[in-house]
Structures are given as C-alpha cells and as structure tokens.
Amino acid sequence: EVKDCWFTGFCDVNLPDGGETESAAAKRLVITVFAEDGVSGSATALPIFREITEYLQSHVNDIMRCRHDKKHTIPLKITRF
C-alpha cells in the first residue's frame, strides 16, 4: 500500500518592484508539496517544503531575472530524494 502525504504552507519573499527604486514588495507564496510513499506530511513533505522556501528566499534576484527573461531558467535541486 502506498501512503501519499502532503504539506501546505506559506513563505514571505521580498521581491524587488523592478522600478528605478530599490524598494521591495513582500509577496506571500503558498506552496503545497505532495509526496508519494512517504511517512507523513511533517516527516516527508515538510523538509522538502523547507528546502524550496530557503531556495526561493536566497535566489530572489534570479527569480526576478527569469520573470523578465523567458530564456533564463533556474535550476532547483531537491536533495531529499
């Protein structure tokens, strides 16, 4: 029997507004992680959620560049698997 598990949470990311000023706008992102054949949401999906949110918060400039340049991609490596 396969046990599917999940975790949903949010994180705040300060995104630059893209204008001439250096001000940033806080955006609240809602993220859901689904894991197949896991132990529980908190044991399996939560560590992956944490890794995604840490990545998003530390790579905000790359995310903004990708938003404006469709050819730019952001590699995301999840190391929990």
Side-chain angles (χ1 to χ4, degrees), residues 46-63:
L46 177 59
I48 297 168
F49 170 84
R50 184 176 295 120
E51 192 167 336
I52 291 169
T53 58
E54 288 171 356
Y55 183 90
L56 289 173
Q57 291 169 343
S58 65
H59 289 83
V60 68
N61 291 331
D62 290 334
I63 293 167

Side-chain angles (χ1 to χ4, degrees), residues 10-29:
F10 66 89
C11 74
D12 293 326
V13 177
N14 289 325
L15 297 176
D17 63 6
E20 294 179 12
T21 65
E22 293 295 324
S23 64
K27 299 291 183 186
R28 181 160 285 172
L29 305 176

Side-chain angles (χ1 to χ4, degrees), residues 59-75:
H59 289 83
V60 68
N61 291 331
D62 290 334
I63 293 167
M64 291 305 293
R65 186 174 32 237
C66 182
R67 180 177 155 196
H68 296 293
D69 178 5
K70 303 301 182 199
K71 295 179 183 176
H72 183 81
T73 60
I74 304 169

